[in-house]
Amino acid sequence: MAITVLRAGPESASQAVEPASPVARFGPDEPLAMDAGVALAPWQIAYQTEGTLNAARTNAVLVCHALTGDQHVTQRHPLTGKPGWWETLVGPGKPVDTERYFVICANVVGSCMGTTGPASINPATGRPYGLDFPLVTIRDMVRGQAMLLDRLGIPDLFLCIGGSMGGMQVLQWAASYPERVFAAMPIATGARHSAQNIAFHEVGRQAVMADPEWHAGRYLDVGSRPAKGLAVARMGAHITYLSEPALHRKFGRRFQDRDAPTFSFDADFQIESYLRHQGISFVERFDANAYLYLTRAMDYFDLAADHGGVLANAFRGTRTRFCVMSFTSDWLFPTADSRAIVHALNAAAAPVAFVEVESDKGHDAFLLDEPAMFAAARGFIQAAARERGL
Amino acid sequence: MAITVLRAGPESASQAVEPASPVARFGPDEPLAMDAGVALAPWQIAYQTEGTLNAARTNAVLVCHALTGDQHVTQRHPLTGKPGWWETLVGPGKPVDTERYFVICANVVGSCMGTTGPASINPATGRPYGLDFPLVTIRDMVRGQAMLLDRLGIPDLFLCIGGSMGGMQVLQWAASYPERVFAAMPIATGARHSAQNIAFHEVGRQAVMADPEWHAGRYLDVGSRPAKGLAVARMGAHITYLSEPALHRKFGRRFQDRDAPTFSFDADFQIESYLRHQGISFVERFDANAYLYLTRAMDYFDLAADHGGVLANAFRGTRTRFCVMSFTSDWLFPTADSRAIVHALNAAAAPVAFVEVESDKGHDAFLLDEPAMFAAARGFIQAAARERGL
């Protein structure tokens, strides 16, 4: 009745392997300056690209991934074998058209798909960092991406786009490097994490830390993994990515493989079986400490607080054009969060379009087949391309 | 940084002690017929009363408690020392006026405050039942309460009232024993548990079961307790009892004892510290297996399914008068759930009043100081008392 987690094979993400992605390496003299006050060095960032950079270097698109995403935006995932996570939006002929644009997606600092994070080897000890890795912020992620662009010889971005934690990075890009972002599209996100969202993250972290296999973060040293705790964390988080109407439509109160309750703690209901599967499959591809670090980075995100408590100050004088998008049934980042961004952009006199997409699919809608989202994205991007002369 | 759970003293609920409550004992010849197909015997039910039963025995009020509640509705809690859990609503001069009514509240079957449950001794083995205890349903709880009323010589109830899981019992009372319920007041509840609510419960159960100290439910045998897992379950559940606006008002993004983040996994935010406290204090007073059983009972509750799929059928021919109440910010049992009950009562031609209380306090509002709730309850109960000739 308790969930059983299969042991991961040697390809497990928690073993800090490097998937087959290009990697930009930064040596001891090229540290990443982190908000925690640490100069991280050496460090590396794994990325994927799709399409061709034009001669003028004006058609680069940076796709920013969400909490548990990675650089495989259009490539088959090396661990799960699944299609790229945003093939609905990015690809040949898609709104982010890889026949016209040069698309880059990099695994964020603190994650576990080839970029330096808590599962990476700490050169000072020769062992995985674990909790000795410095806390990561959204701004640190963006600094790392900017260093990657420098390395790739890309002066600025035609478009910076992402959903959820990816949307936070888009906002941070627009605030930190306004001159390097021609157009920005933050989707299903907020300029700060709400108390309720921090609360859900904290429960997930406590679930990981409550697992004795976590070993105070040193599980890789002892060849273990807090798989059960991480699965519980993922199950809880997954509920927040959906919506009550979507759950009702998809599962309702339907029983699993039978008509009546078993009067046991087996997965009687389809929703239980589905959630257990989500938990189990997640731990096969994700490092537990990376989950702690990245949820914390989202909790800490508060763009207004970084600008004297006034969100508009983050965007004053910007020439970036924005398209802000939310989904009606998203209760993790409700439309009110997007409206707050739009109001701040209005106050900063920035050009901004706002689209609230009618959908019952909850927060995850941004990853799914939402024609209204695609139409709005296509329109915004094509208009921006015309302005950019692409 | 991980939560630390103090060892419970010998008064711990998980040791299946009997708090100082009256207890009705039922012997081998007086089994409780359970929906799981088991005749539970011997068994017992712990309860508290307040006020005086009148000579005609027409002024009895049954208060039904919620998931983690107990019989101490107006008495100081024997483990926590806190005031009774519904002293806001029940007491001398209160809407449920103990100077006029004889109030009974019994710990439900499957719980851990003196009524038989999974922490009780299984007479077949001489050890605590653990998971050998039969699965419990809301109907089982109500059958047990009816047997208690028989024992106390109370033919019928003037009023049956409760919130959340207590409201489910109120609905079940009205459906199972319509002739024994003069007035019914289900608050912040639903006639069935939604897919999202089942999902949240399942995450909590998995958190308990993931704790190695759970020992497949036999932790009492080995002198242990799944305290960390139960604390995580409680933390997650607690979020669902509140509301985003209430969390924002109470905690916002305020830091704990400082102005800036610590860049650590300490409880930086006040909301984190609050949640950890909720988790830790809960495990001091509640049995983990009882938590599994009672959440499951709520998941299984589906009053329409028990009546040919038509909720109105549960109430046909009833002469009970109802007052159904919901709270605007309750997203665990949203107003739509209460409306479904009201529509069914309308279809069954039952007398029903419906009150949606404006509150930003979420599901927990029914336990808090909500003058509009008190006023509506007072009006409904006084009118019913006049009809009853009290």
Side-chain angles (χ1 to χ4, degrees):
Chain A
M1 61 203 52
I3 49 177
T4 308
V5 178
L6 301 171
R7 296 296 302 177
E11 76 287 4
S12 158
S14 63
Q15 318 244 340
V17 295
E18 290 178 22
S21 291
V23 171
R25 292 189 169 78
F26 296 86
D29 55 333
E30 297 164 298
L32 178 67
M34 298 178 74
D35 281 340
V38 175
L40 183 70
W43 71 284
Q44 67 178 47
I45 186 164
Y47 64 98
Q48 290 281 359
T49 67
E50 194 85 24
T52 309
L53 189 64
N54 63 15
R57 300 172 177 261
T58 56
N59 70 333
V61 173
L62 180 69
V63 174
C64 300
H65 70 72
L67 178 64
T68 68
D70 51 48
Q71 66 271 38
H72 301 287
V73 61
T74 57
Q75 292 84 16
R76 193 164 289 280
H77 194 280
L79 298 182
T80 67
K82 288 187 181 170
W85 59 267
W86 223 359
E87 290 195 4
T88 50
L89 190 83
V90 183
K94 298 286 170 66
V96 178
D97 189 346
T98 49
E99 290 174 341
R100 297 184 63 190
Y101 311 119
F102 179 61
V103 173
I104 309 147
C105 186
N107 190 219
V108 297
V109 173
S111 186
C112 53
M113 285 296 287
T115 295
T116 305
S120 303
I121 297 298
N122 180 351
T125 63
R127 298 185 306 159
Y129 277 102
L131 295 201
D132 292 335
F133 198 74
L135 261 279
V136 174
T137 66
I138 300 292
R139 193 155 53 179
D140 294 333
M141 298 174 190
V142 166
R143 278 196 201 100
Q145 291 158 347
M147 288 175 75
L148 171 64
L149 294 195
D150 292 343
R151 175 68 60 87
L152 296 177
I154 296 172
D156 58 17
L157 297 168
F158 159 57
L159 173 68
C160 187
I161 186 171
S164 196
M165 189 183 86
M168 290 178 168
Q169 294 162 62
V170 173
L171 293 171
Q172 188 66 60
W173 260 99
S176 294
Y177 307 104
E179 74 291 349
R180 296 186 77 172
V181 184
F182 187 80
M185 199 165 166
I187 304 173
T189 195
R192 63 181 194 176
H193 223 210
S194 72
Q196 183 168 285
N197 288 358
I198 294 171
F200 277 120
H201 274 173
E202 171 66 1
V203 174
R205 286 191 293 264
Q206 290 297 334
V208 171
M209 292 177 174
D211 189 332
E213 297 301 324
W214 181 60
H215 292 285
R218 302 239 62 94
Y219 50 90
L220 294 178
D221 295 5
V222 296
S224 179
R225 279 197 309 158
K228 287 184 174 179
L230 184 60
V232 167
R234 176 64 167 182
M235 290 173 69
H238 199 79
I239 302 173
T240 69
Y241 302 154
L242 306 176
S243 71
E244 205 283 315
L247 283 169
H248 184 71
R249 182 169 41 76
K250 248 174 123 166
F251 305 106
R253 294 181 46 85
R254 282 190 294 282
F255 291 110
Q256 179 78 4
D257 305 328
R258 60 189 80 87
D259 300 331
T262 59
F263 289 103
S264 78
F265 293 107
D266 290 346
D268 254 4
F269 295 99
Q270 288 179 12
I271 176 64
E272 295 176 300
S273 167
Y274 169 79
L275 273 186
R276 291 183 192 187
H277 172 76
Q278 292 296 327
I280 291 167
S281 59
F282 180 60
V283 302
E284 297 296 322
R285 72 173 176 88
F286 214 82
D287 174 62
N289 281 341
Y291 190 77
L292 303 183
Y293 275 80
L294 299 187
T295 54
R296 201 57 164 157
M298 291 179 76
D299 292 354
Y300 276 175
F301 188 62
D302 188 348
L303 200 50
D306 296 343
H307 294 82
V310 180
L311 185 57
N313 289 348
F315 306 114
R316 297 236 183 262
T318 187
R319 297 174 63 187
T320 304
R321 64 258 310 121
F322 291 83
C323 178
V324 177
M325 188 179 283
S326 70
F327 298 89
T328 49
S329 58
D330 183 352
W331 56 281
L332 197 64
F333 290 98
T335 289
D337 287 4
S338 282
R339 280 195 200 282
I341 298 167
V342 172
H343 290 163
L345 288 167
N346 285 337
V352 55
F354 171 52
V355 183
E356 185 188 30
V357 175
E358 181 82 31
S359 165
D360 81 345
K361 293 177 190 152
H363 182 61
D364 262 359
F366 83 90
L367 296 168
L368 303 175
D369 184 24
E370 289 287 357
M373 169 176 74
F374 302 149
R378 192 182 294 275
F380 172 72
I381 294 167
Q382 284 181 349
R386 276 193 301 273
E387 293 175 58
R388 177 86 162 177
L390 291 176
Chain B
M1 63 202 48
I3 49 179
T4 307
V5 178
L6 302 171
R7 297 294 303 176
E11 77 287 5
S12 160
S14 63
Q15 319 243 340
V17 296
E18 291 177 21
S21 291
V23 171
R25 292 190 169 77
F26 296 87
D29 56 333
E30 298 165 297
L32 177 68
M34 297 179 74
D35 282 339
V38 175
L40 184 70
W43 71 284
Q44 69 179 46
I45 187 165
Y47 64 97
Q48 290 282 358
T49 66
E50 194 84 25
T52 309
L53 189 63
N54 63 15
R57 299 173 177 259
T58 56
N59 69 334
V61 173
L62 181 67
V63 174
C64 300
H65 71 71
L67 178 64
T68 66
D70 51 47
Q71 66 271 37
H72 301 286
V73 61
T74 56
Q75 294 82 17
R76 194 164 289 281
H77 194 280
L79 298 183
T80 67
K82 289 188 180 168
W85 58 267
W86 222 359
E87 290 194 4
T88 49
L89 189 83
V90 183
K94 298 285 170 67
V96 179
D97 188 347
T98 50
E99 290 175 341
R100 298 183 63 189
Y101 311 118
F102 179 61
V103 173
I104 310 146
C105 186
N107 190 219
V108 297
V109 174
S111 187
C112 53
M113 285 297 288
T115 296
T116 306
S120 303
I121 298 298
N122 180 351
T125 63
R127 297 184 307 161
Y129 276 102
L131 295 201
D132 292 336
F133 198 75
L135 261 278
V136 175
T137 66
I138 300 293
R139 192 154 55 178
D140 294 333
M141 297 174 189
V142 166
R143 277 197 202 99
Q145 290 158 348
M147 289 175 75
L148 171 64
L149 293 194
D150 292 343
R151 176 68 61 87
L152 297 176
I154 296 171
D156 58 16
L157 297 168
F158 159 58
L159 173 67
C160 187
I161 186 170
S164 196
M165 190 184 86
M168 290 178 169
Q169 295 161 61
V170 173
L171 294 171
Q172 187 66 61
W173 259 99
S176 293
Y177 308 104
E179 73 291 348
R180 296 185 77 171
V181 184
F182 187 80
M185 200 164 165
I187 304 174
T189 193
R192 64 181 193 177
H193 224 210
S194 72
Q196 183 169 287
N197 288 358
I198 295 171
F200 276 119
H201 274 173
E202 171 66 1
V203 174
R205 286 191 294 265
Q206 289 297 334
V208 171
M209 293 177 175
D211 189 331
E213 298 300 326
W214 182 60
H215 292 286
R218 301 238 62 94
Y219 50 90
L220 294 178
D221 295 4
V222 297
S224 179
R225 280 196 310 158
K228 287 185 175 179
L230 184 60
V232 168
R234 176 65 168 182
M235 289 172 69
H238 200 79
I239 302 173
T240 70
Y241 303 153
L242 306 175
S243 71
E244 204 282 316
L247 283 169
H248 183 71
R249 181 168 43 75
K250 250 176 120 164
F251 305 106
R253 293 181 46 85
R254 283 190 292 284
F255 291 108
Q256 180 76 6
D257 304 328
R258 60 188 81 84
D259 300 332
T262 59
F263 289 104
S264 78
F265 292 107
D266 290 346
D268 254 5
F269 294 100
Q270 289 179 12
I271 176 64
E272 295 176 301
S273 167
Y274 170 78
L275 273 186
R276 291 183 192 186
H277 172 75
Q278 292 297 328
I280 291 166
S281 59
F282 180 60
V283 302
E284 297 296 322
R285 71 173 177 90
F286 215 81
D287 175 61
N289 282 341
Y291 190 77
L292 302 183
Y293 275 80
L294 299 186
T295 54
R296 201 57 165 158
M298 292 180 76
D299 292 354
Y300 276 176
F301 188 61
D302 188 348
L303 200 50
D306 295 344
H307 293 83
V310 179
L311 186 57
N313 289 348
F315 306 114
R316 296 237 183 263
T318 189
R319 297 174 63 187
T320 305
R321 65 255 312 118
F322 291 83
C323 178
V324 177
M325 189 178 282
S326 69
F327 298 89
T328 49
S329 59
D330 183 352
W331 57 282
L332 197 64
F333 290 99
T335 289
D337 287 4
S338 282
R339 280 193 201 283
I341 297 167
V342 172
H343 290 164
L345 289 167
N346 285 336
V352 54
F354 171 52
V355 183
E356 185 188 30
V357 175
E358 181 81 31
S359 164
D360 81 345
K361 293 176 192 152
H363 182 61
D364 262 0
F366 83 91
L367 295 169
L368 302 175
D369 184 25
E370 288 287 356
M373 169 175 75
F374 303 149
R378 192 183 295 275
F380 172 73
I381 293 167
Q382 284 182 349
R386 277 194 300 274
E387 293 174 59
R388 178 86 163 177
L390 291 175

